[in-house]
Amino acid sequence: MADVSLGHSFGETNDVQKSIFDLGAFVGDLTFEEDASSEDISLEGLQQELEECKNDEVVANILSNGTKLREYTKGVENNLRQVELDSIQDYIKESDNLVSLHDQIRDCDSILSQMETLLSGFQTEIGSISSDIKVLQEKSMDMGLRLKNRKVAESKLARFVEDIIVPPRMIDIIVDGEVNEEYMRTLEILSKKLKFVGVDPMVKTSKALKDVQPELEKLRQKAISKVFDFIVQKLYALRKPKTNIQILQQSVLLKYKYVVSFLKEHGKEVYIEVRAAYIDTMNKVLSAHFRSYIQALEKLQLDIATSSDLIGVETRSTSLFSRGREPLKNRSAVYALGERINILKEIDQPALIPHIAEASSTKYPYEVLFRSLQKLLMDTATSEYLFCDDFFGEESIFNEIFSGPFSVIDEHFNSILPNCYDAIGLMLMIRIIHQHQLIMSRRRIPCLDSYLDKVNISLWPRFKMVFDMHLNSLRNANVKTLWEDDVHPHYVMRRYAEFTASLIHLNVEYGDGQLELNMERLRMAVDELLLKLAKIFPKPKLQIVFLINNYDMTIAVLKEAGPEGGKIQLHFEDLLKSNTTLFVEELLMEHFGDLIKFVKTRASEDLNLNPERPITVAEVEPLVKDFASRWKAAIELMHKDVITSFSNFLCGMEILRATLTQLLLYYTRLSDCIKKVVGGSALNKDLVSISSIMYEIRKYSRTF
């Protein structure tokens, strides 16, 4: 077989070689002779083209060498023929590989033909399977749809059966069970069933409803009756003495708040009865609690002021030898704020426990009791408001419950307020109400808004009335009975200063313009009264000392109340300054009258304008010698006078310094005047040096 193949291959090789030789011979006979007589070739324009191409390197080379175009063409053709023959020889050398490749391609073609047949069979079978699958898919979708519809129907039917059926267990619990958490859950189920049969229109047409509805109605009535008895029993427990209402509400009643929801939905009339029972119970209980608390607080009250405790009312009795007793043991509390301001810092502290305070025999100003009562009211109202909202779902029920407690508190307040003459206490109560309004606002509890506004509105007119009583006591004061032969601060002025300082302190954070206006009216009245009292003193100097002492004391009290006394403090500072200037002049006139008169009259004259009356040595010599002889003694006398005249040592020393400074100025002007007098140098030996006076001034300055 191999031999045959080899022979066959050898024969094929000879044939190919023979073809090669024949082809070579055939190619060798090919000629490309130009037919000069051909009509297709035109030489027209050849000369012009040659002229244009003469710059071409090849053309120029051909033309320059004289080579004919035909010979060049034949050379190119021979080269092409040689390349073609070489290419054919290369293909002949690769003939074996080409034959092998041909065989492989033929084998592959056979295999692919078989695969094509096989795949065609597969395609036919797959087409048949696809058709079957499509049929099955359609059947599956149909079955799925029917199953889905059946499930929906089953679900609705099951829900309907579940919602309408009355299980025996539910009947047993509703009829015979105790009201507990399980009972609450059963009530919820019963409520759903009652809503279901009453709301769904399709249920109303069902035959099953005719069998179930009578049973549901019986269960509803039984449940309403049972929970009514239960909840009323719990409400009556609130009436027991010493019951902690809030604990009972939070730990017991709120656990059964669904009972109220059930009654509200399925037993409206019974719900109204329960609601009314709770309102009546809490109204009475809270009213009793507040009444007993108020009675206990009244035992702790410390009376601060009476109608006679006014700024302009004298404190002495008509007896010639005895001082009238003070209306109160602690009189400073009538006008001075003192520690009473602490009540605003303790605004959110727990309310007083009366029996503990009573055991310690402690008494309190009314604003302390007022804060405790309002604090108890706020806390109770907050708790009750939140409970009613949670338990009944109604906020309006609060006002019905607290109508009783409000009446009890109003009755107490209306008995206290007309007899309250404590202006500071009233202002403290106004500020307490304001703080309590802020607390309720932060709690977001609006139930006391109208009540607190009402209390605030009732406090302001009373404060204004008491304030006007103080104002009128100053305007209508009997100056003769108030006057005392004493230049030290008057007790009326001290009352005024403490009272004003207290109100200023209580107005710092509020900036009440109306209160500031009233204090300005009070200041004008006390100014007028003080001037009347001062005029009774026989000497102008005593009048001025009296005014200075009172102004200085007032400023000191206002400064103690706060760093900024405002317009009132500035007013008294101006008065103090002007009266200090007057006193300095009075004191200097008392000891150096002639010297001051001379300086103010003669030394101030312009000698050039009045040459007819020149100042002479004889005119100034007595003044100089008098001053030199007693100036130190006079300063000492002035020092003692100041020390005894002024209550405030520092104020007295400031006045003494101002007096000595003014004396130095007067004496300096006298010395300057003597220098201008003809022959005045003769007095130099008697003149006291300025440095000596300055030294004396510094000596007294070191004493404070």
Side-chain angles (χ1 to χ4, degrees):
M1 189 70 182
D3 296 336
V4 174
S5 299
L6 290 173
H8 178 71
S9 299
F10 180 75
E12 287 180 351
T13 303
N14 291 335
D15 292 338
V16 172
Q17 289 177 348
K18 183 179 179 181
S19 298
I20 292 173
F21 293 122
D22 292 342
L23 182 61
F26 175 75
V27 172
D29 291 339
L30 289 175
T31 58
F32 296 92
E33 294 182 358
E34 182 183 0
D35 187 356
S37 63
S38 175
E39 295 179 355
D40 295 332
I41 298 174
S42 175
L43 300 178
E44 184 179 356
L46 177 60
Q47 186 63 35
Q48 183 180 353
E49 291 180 3
L50 290 176
E51 288 294 330
E52 292 175 356
C53 296
K54 67 180 180 179
N55 293 328
D56 184 88
E57 184 179 352
V58 178
V59 175
N61 187 35
I62 293 171
L63 294 176
S64 63
N65 293 331
T67 306
K68 291 183 179 181
L69 183 59
R70 183 181 299 276
E71 292 177 358
Y72 184 76
T73 301
K74 285 183 178 182
V76 172
E77 287 178 350
N78 289 334
N79 291 336
L80 289 172
R81 186 183 300 113
Q82 186 60 42
V83 171
E84 183 179 3
L85 291 176
D86 292 341
S87 176
I88 290 172
Q89 290 298 324
D90 290 338
Y91 278 106
I92 291 172
K93 290 179 182 178
E94 296 294 329
S95 60
D96 291 341
N97 293 333
L98 292 173
V99 170
S100 175
L101 180 61
H102 174 73
D103 292 340
Q104 291 176 5
I105 291 172
R106 187 171 55 193
D107 293 340
C108 287
D109 185 57
S110 175
I111 293 170
L112 290 173
S113 177
Q114 294 175 5
M115 290 184 67
E116 181 181 8
T117 303
L118 181 62
L119 291 175
S120 296
F122 283 162
Q123 185 177 11
T124 304
E125 292 179 3
I126 289 172
S128 176
I129 293 172
S130 174
S131 177
D132 294 341
I133 290 173
K134 186 177 295 184
V135 172
L136 292 174
Q137 185 178 12
E138 291 174 355
K139 289 181 179 180
S140 175
M141 291 176 64
D142 182 57
M143 291 174 67
L145 182 60
R146 283 185 289 172
L147 178 62
K148 183 178 179 181
N149 291 337
R150 287 180 181 179
K151 284 184 176 181
V152 171
E154 181 184 2
S155 174
K156 290 185 177 180
L157 183 60
R159 193 182 309 120
F160 174 80
V161 172
E162 182 182 353
D163 289 339
I164 203 170
I165 195 172
V166 182
R169 174 65 178 165
M170 187 178 78
I171 297 174
D172 293 340
I173 294 174
I174 295 295
V175 175
D176 301 323
E178 294 183 0
V179 180
N180 50 28
E181 292 183 3
E182 185 181 14
Y183 199 92
M184 295 296 103
R185 292 193 294 270
T186 307
L187 274 185
E188 292 183 25
I189 297 172
L190 177 60
S191 176
K192 290 180 181 177
K193 293 183 182 298
L194 291 171
K195 291 178 183 177
F196 178 71
V197 300
V199 175
D200 197 327
M202 295 182 63
V203 176
K204 294 180 179 180
T205 60
S206 67
K207 294 181 179 181
L209 180 62
K210 296 179 181 180
D211 297 332
V212 175
Q213 192 169 21
E215 301 301 323
L216 286 175
E217 180 61 23
K218 291 177 183 178
L219 287 176
R220 184 187 72 83
Q221 293 178 0
K222 181 63 179 177
I224 289 173
S225 174
K226 195 163 190 174
V227 298
F228 173 74
D229 294 339
F230 173 81
I231 202 70
V232 168
Q233 182 183 2
K234 296 298 181 184
L235 294 182
Y236 283 147
L238 294 170
R239 299 188 178 187
K240 294 180 180 179
K242 298 182 180 180
T243 299
N244 192 316
I245 296 174
Q246 293 183 8
I247 291 179
L248 185 61
Q249 288 175 336
Q250 298 297 323
S251 62
V252 179
L253 292 179
L254 282 181
K255 287 171 60 177
Y256 301 102
K257 67 179 182 179
Y258 184 73
V259 167
V260 175
S261 300
F262 181 83
L263 291 176
K264 188 185 291 187
E265 291 178 347
H266 305 293
K268 192 68 176 178
E269 294 179 358
V270 177
Y271 167 75
I272 293 174
E273 290 183 32
V274 171
R275 183 179 183 276
Y278 180 79
I279 291 172
D280 181 64
T281 298
M282 291 305 298
N283 190 307
K284 292 178 179 177
V285 170
L286 293 177
S287 297
H289 282 186
F290 276 100
R291 186 175 288 108
S292 62
Y293 187 74
I294 288 171
Q295 290 172 353
L297 287 181
E298 287 174 346
K299 298 177 183 179
L300 305 175
Q301 183 173 345
L302 173 66
D303 293 327
I304 296 293
T306 64
S307 58
S308 61
D309 291 311
L310 302 173
I311 297 175
V313 175
E314 54 131 356
T315 60
R316 294 177 298 178
S317 69
T318 56
S319 172
L320 183 62
F321 301 104
S322 64
R323 300 275 293 184
R325 70 175 181 85
E326 297 291 337
L328 293 174
K329 294 180 181 179
N330 185 14
R331 293 205 46 86
S332 64
V334 179
Y335 311 104
L337 188 59
E339 294 182 357
R340 297 174 73 181
I341 188 65
N342 292 336
I343 193 67
L344 296 180
K345 301 174 184 177
E346 302 165 358
I347 195 70
D348 210 15
Q349 293 296 313
L352 284 175
I353 302 175
H355 68 271
I356 295 177
E358 191 173 357
S360 62
S361 301
T362 306
K363 299 287 186 179
Y364 300 94
Y366 183 71
E367 69 268 8
V368 177
L369 310 182
F370 177 80
R371 185 206 70 85
S372 287
L373 179 59
Q374 300 302 317
K375 172 65 174 173
L376 180 63
L377 175 63
M378 282 197 309
D379 293 344
T380 306
T382 299
S383 175
E384 191 62 31
Y385 178 84
L386 295 174
F387 173 78
C388 290
D389 186 35
D390 195 5
F391 190 69
F392 290 98
E394 294 184 44
E395 297 177 0
S396 59
I397 196 173
F398 172 86
N399 292 325
E400 298 179 57
I401 292 171
F402 267 77
S403 60
F406 283 155
S407 298
V408 171
I409 296 172
D410 288 345
E411 180 183 353
H412 160 73
F413 198 55
N414 291 335
S415 67
I416 292 291
L417 199 59
N419 298 314
C420 182
Y421 297 94
D422 179 13
I424 302 301
L426 288 167
M427 182 52 64
L428 282 169
M429 286 189 276
I430 290 171
R431 299 311 184 212
I432 287 170
I433 286 293
H434 177 76
Q435 293 297 323
H436 283 172
Q437 287 175 323
L438 295 178
I439 290 172
M440 293 302 287
S441 176
R442 288 194 293 270
R443 292 181 182 179
R444 299 178 183 272
I445 304 294
C447 58
L448 290 183
D449 288 354
S450 58
Y451 167 79
L452 294 174
D453 287 339
K454 183 181 73 173
V455 174
N456 191 47
I457 289 172
S458 64
L459 284 170
W460 271 109
R462 183 64 190 179
F463 170 79
K464 182 65 166 56
M465 192 200 79
V466 175
F467 186 91
D468 287 344
M469 290 175 65
H470 285 288
L471 179 62
N472 292 329
S473 73
L474 292 174
R475 290 175 174 174
N476 304 325
N478 188 332
V479 179
K480 292 181 179 179
T481 58
L482 287 177
W483 185 79
E484 295 177 344
D485 191 10
D486 187 356
V487 295
H488 290 87
H490 198 277
Y491 61 85
V492 169
M493 199 63 184
R494 178 168 290 281
R495 290 176 185 173
Y496 163 79
E498 292 175 346
F499 185 71
T500 301
S502 299
L503 294 181
I504 289 174
H505 194 78
L506 290 174
N507 198 38
V508 169
E509 297 180 4
Y510 301 91
D512 193 318
Q514 189 64 35
L515 181 59
E516 291 176 355
L517 182 61
N518 285 324
M519 286 193 291
E520 184 65 19
R521 293 166 59 210
L522 193 69
R523 195 269 306 160
M524 294 170 65
V526 83
D527 273 349
E528 185 178 352
L529 177 61
L530 194 64
L531 290 175
K532 290 179 180 178
L533 290 171
K535 288 179 181 178
I536 300 179
F537 287 96
K539 296 180 180 180
K541 177 185 169 185
L542 294 177
Q543 296 176 7
I544 297 171
V545 170
F546 175 75
L547 291 175
I548 289 175
N549 278 327
N550 281 281
Y551 294 149
D552 179 65
M553 178 273 300
T554 302
I555 294 169
V557 173
L558 292 177
K559 285 182 177 179
E560 287 177 6
E564 297 179 2
K567 294 188 297 183
I568 295 178
Q569 182 177 322
L570 293 175
H571 169 77
F572 285 111
E573 287 175 351
D574 291 341
L575 290 176
L576 177 63
K577 189 181 297 183
S578 61
N579 280 275
T580 298
T581 303
L582 292 176
F583 176 79
V584 167
E585 293 297 325
E586 284 289 334
L587 188 60
L588 290 176
M589 285 294 294
E590 183 179 330
H591 294 280
F592 302 100
D594 293 338
L595 185 150
I596 293 172
K597 289 178 183 177
F598 175 81
V599 170
K600 287 185 176 180
T601 55
R602 297 287 286 153
S604 300
E605 294 177 358
D606 191 337
L607 299 180
N608 295 325
L609 295 177
N610 193 9
E612 297 178 358
R613 291 187 58 205
I615 299 174
T616 62
V617 173
E619 191 176 354
V620 297
E621 184 177 7
L623 298 177
V624 172
K625 290 184 176 181
D626 177 66
F627 184 84
S629 64
R630 62 182 187 88
W631 69 278
K632 288 186 178 181
I635 290 177
E636 181 60 29
L637 288 174
M638 288 191 295
H639 175 250
K640 291 179 179 179
D641 195 357
V642 168
I643 290 296
T644 56
S645 296
F646 298 104
S647 307
N648 186 349
F649 177 77
L650 294 178
C651 177
M653 289 300 99
E654 287 290 343
I655 292 173
L656 179 61
R657 179 193 291 175
T659 303
L660 297 179
T661 302
Q662 187 64 32
L663 175 62
L664 179 63
L665 292 175
Y666 282 137
Y667 193 72
T668 302
R669 290 173 62 185
L670 176 64
S671 300
D672 293 341
C673 180
I674 291 173
K675 293 177 183 178
K676 300 177 183 178
V677 174
V678 177
S681 57
L683 299 175
N684 288 342
K685 64 181 184 303
D686 296 320
L687 283 174
V688 179
S689 66
I690 299 299
S691 59
S692 299
I693 299 175
M694 288 290 294
Y695 174 78
E696 200 69 20
I697 292 175
R698 284 195 294 271
K699 184 173 72 172
Y700 283 101
S701 298
R702 287 195 295 270
T703 61
F704 63 97

